[in-house]
Amino acid sequence: MLSKSELNFRKMKYRSQKVAYLFFALSMALLVLQIIYGFIMGFAHMGFDVLHEIIPFNAATATHKNLLIVWLLSGFMGAAYYIIPEEAEQELASVKLAKIQFWSLALVAVASVIGFHFNWWEGRKFLEIPRPLDYLVVINVLLFLGIVLKTLYSGKKRTTTAMVLVMGLVFAALLYLPGMIWFDNQTIDSFFRWWVVHLWVEGVWELIMGGILSFLLIKLTGVDREVIEKWLYVIVGLTFLSGILGTGHHFYFIGTPKYWLMIGGIFSALEPLAFLGMALFAMAMYRKGEKRHPNKIAITWTLGTAIVSFVGAGLLGIAHTLPSVNMWTHGTFITAMHGHLAFWGAYGMLIFALISYVLPQLTGRKLYNTALSTYAFWLSNIGMVGMTVALGAAGMTQVYLERKVGMDFMDAQIAMEPHFMILIACATMFFTGVIMFIVNFVKYGKPTDQALVKN
Ligand code: HEM
Ligand code: HEM
Ligand SMILES: [Fe+2]
């Protein structure tokens, strides 16, 4: 039962929004599992590959990266189930189907993790899940999109925020397909793998990010929807202008024609503009806003995601995107340095921001602005910046020893071991922050109809 003061704080508008909670909970559980596999690899790089017989490195790395994708997708799906009813002013088309979709998503996640440990995988980075499970993903995503689109199109309103979010989700689903075509030629296979991996994170996922950021800023700053949504058009424009041909920065050295060096170099160097746009947008809306919303920690995560994504994706992306740099850094820990801060800043923190905003609404409890939630923000972010620095140092060592000096691959790996001690120390700090966030999550308890706004 909610207390009297909590009852005065009823914010959830539609009963069916509660289903988002399941997706957020799954998201957090899979994140913890992803991090555990990160530690296994961190220790292996430090020279302690003790679990090798049970969890070989290839299984650990595939699990780490695929769980990352699934916890983010689960977060995005939760976001859509929460945001679309509110924007469209309509209950979700079917909560029952949404729950079926939830369980089938959880099933794919569990089946692929188990599969990786029994050598059931495809061996293409980020797209390792075996073909039969791909079909299950397709069915799952079709069901998800069906529910979301039906809700949106039977609702009273189709706001720009909702349209951009849904457009991102639909395109993300379509772009999964090029990764499912079979090619014997490795260059062509690689070429289309990037249609998925690159056009997701540097294309359509940015639309999802723009939509969610816009929703959060409308709710948290009190600035007019019209003003906030105008920015969205600019961000969508910048994303497409740079991100599509920017795919070329993955085609430099994989056997594709030489003109990609120029196209990829020029257009990918423009990509940080979209992230800069998002950072400026969020800051400007915050400054313009009334600053009266009580949920300060949700605002902190929202501004955090706009800023850290610019650093991790924009700045650390441009740092190795020119062909003259990339020819040295390609596929080293410089890539991993950028991969961690970009994924965390843009998409990880975005989901943390949304969860921080949504949980009080769904449960009617005001556990924001607690010491726990503040420490969660700072420890996780300082830890992740430390991890990024450690990976960057490892990467520079690797480029120098392996590619300039010509040291053998494995000898260079041994020379890098001390950097992984630092990585583990910083990752421990990061993990502590994440656990604090999850403890707060659990403390909120389950969503309840009592939190519904009185009609
Ligand atoms: C949120 C957005 C982004 C995320 C999540 C992200 C993540 C990643 C990841 C995980 C990889 C490794 C991919 C693989 O090897 O399969 C990668 C590679 C790369 N990223 Fe990003 N990235 C983002 C934005 C950017 C931007 C804006 C730029 C350029 C300005 C950029 C430049 C690069 C380059 C050049 C590589 C290739 C590295 C190599 O040759 O090994 N990224 N990114
Ligand atoms: C906190 C504990 C974590 C540790 C110790 C850790 C460690 C590692 C290590 C050692 C690798 C390299 C694997 C290899 O050599 O193939 C890796 C890869 C990767 N991790 Fe993590 N990780 C952690 C958390 C995370 C989180 C939270 C994210 C995303 C938000 C993430 C995203 C990635 C990505 C995208 C790659 C692939 C990088 C590349 O393309 O080179 N990791 N991780
Ligand atoms: Fe890319």
Side-chain angles (χ1 to χ4, degrees), residues 79-93:
Y81 284 143
Y82 184 84
I83 294 175
I84 298 302
E86 198 154 318
E87 290 285 297
E89 298 182 8
Q90 167 78 21
E91 292 281 1
L92 269 186

Side-chain angles (χ1 to χ4, degrees), residues 186-238:
Q186 210 199 329
T187 296
I188 299 177
D189 188 73
S190 225
F191 186 88
F192 285 105
R193 186 182 79 89
W194 288 114
W195 280 38
V196 190
V197 177
H198 171 99
L199 289 176
W200 263 10
V201 300
E202 290 154 76
V204 296
W205 282 24
E206 283 180 62
L207 304 190
I208 299 174
M209 182 180 174
I212 297 177
L213 266 188
S214 161
F215 176 80
L216 283 169
L217 290 169
I218 289 170
K219 299 289 164 183
L220 293 167
T221 66
V223 175
D224 282 348
R225 175 182 288 277
E226 290 68 34
V227 181
I228 290 187
E229 289 181 340
K230 243 182 252 160
W231 277 84
L232 257 188
Y233 287 108
V234 178
I235 286 161
V236 174
L238 284 173

Side-chain angles (χ1 to χ4, degrees), residues 125-126 193-194 197 201-202 249-250 268 271-272 275 313-314 317-318 320-321 326 329-331 335 338-339 342-343 346-347:
K125 191 176 169 190
F126 284 106
R193 186 182 79 89
W194 288 114
V197 177
V201 300
E202 290 154 76
H249 66 180
H250 302 289
S268 69
E271 281 181 42
F275 288 96
I318 206 168
H320 61 154
T321 202
N326 192 262
T329 59
H330 175 66
T335 309
H338 151 71
F343 259 118
Y347 304 120

Side-chain angles (χ1 to χ4, degrees), residues 112 205 238 289 310 333 346 364 417 421 430:
S112 40
W205 282 24
L238 284 173
F310 172 61
F333 282 106
E417 283 175 0
M421 253 164 66
F430 171 78

Side-chain angles (χ1 to χ4, degrees), residues 5 24 152 200 287 311 358 413:
S5 77
F24 294 143
L152 184 61
W200 263 10
R287 290 170 64 94
V311 179
V358 165
Q413 294 289 323

Side-chain angles (χ1 to χ4, degrees), residues 256-399:
T256 44
K258 275 218 172 67
Y259 51 72
W260 284 112
L261 290 172
M262 183 125 102
I263 300 176
I266 293 173
F267 284 91
S268 69
L270 295 175
E271 281 181 42
L273 288 179
F275 288 96
L276 179 64
M278 269 189 270
L280 293 177
F281 158 54
M283 296 292 286
M285 293 307 108
Y286 174 68
R287 290 170 64 94
K288 198 175 154 73
E290 300 156 344
K291 304 184 185 57
R292 279 218 301 264
H293 200 286
N295 191 343
K296 299 277 180 279
I297 198 69
I299 300 176
T300 309
W301 280 105
T302 305
L303 294 180
T305 190
I307 294 165
V308 180
S309 65
F310 172 61
V311 179
L315 294 183
L316 295 184
I318 206 168
H320 61 154
T321 202
L322 298 180
S324 53
V325 178
N326 192 262
M327 64 183 266
W328 297 104
T329 59
H330 175 66
T332 61
F333 282 106
I334 296 291
T335 309
M337 156 195 83
H338 151 71
H340 279 85
L341 201 64
F343 259 118
W344 169 248
Y347 304 120
M349 289 181 73
L350 181 68
I351 288 168
F352 276 53
L354 190 72
I355 290 179
S356 301
Y357 169 73
V358 165
L359 281 184
Q361 317 286 118
L362 288 182
T363 62
R365 301 202 166 84
K366 296 185 256 185
L367 294 181
Y368 43 68
N369 311 334
T370 56
L372 201 60
S373 64
T374 311
Y375 280 120
F377 178 85
W378 290 106
L379 286 179
S380 60
N381 277 292
I382 296 172
M384 182 50 86
V385 169
M387 286 168 63
T388 306
V389 173
L391 287 168
M396 282 190 273
T397 309
Q398 189 180 13
V399 169

Side-chain angles (χ1 to χ4, degrees), residues 31 34-35 37-42 45 57 61 64-65 68 71-72 125-126 332-333 335-337 339-340 343-344 348 384 387 391 420 423-424 427-428 430-431:
L31 165 62
Q34 187 217 349
I35 293 175
Y37 281 83
F39 275 110
I40 294 175
M41 286 192 294
H45 276 292
F57 198 86
T61 190
H64 187 62
K65 276 169 272 201
L68 166 65
W71 80 259
L72 294 177
K125 191 176 169 190
F126 284 106
T332 61
F333 282 106
T335 309
M337 156 195 83
H340 279 85
F343 259 118
W344 169 248
M384 182 50 86
M387 286 168 63
L391 287 168
F420 285 90
L423 176 87
I424 293 283
T428 306
F430 171 78
F431 194 31

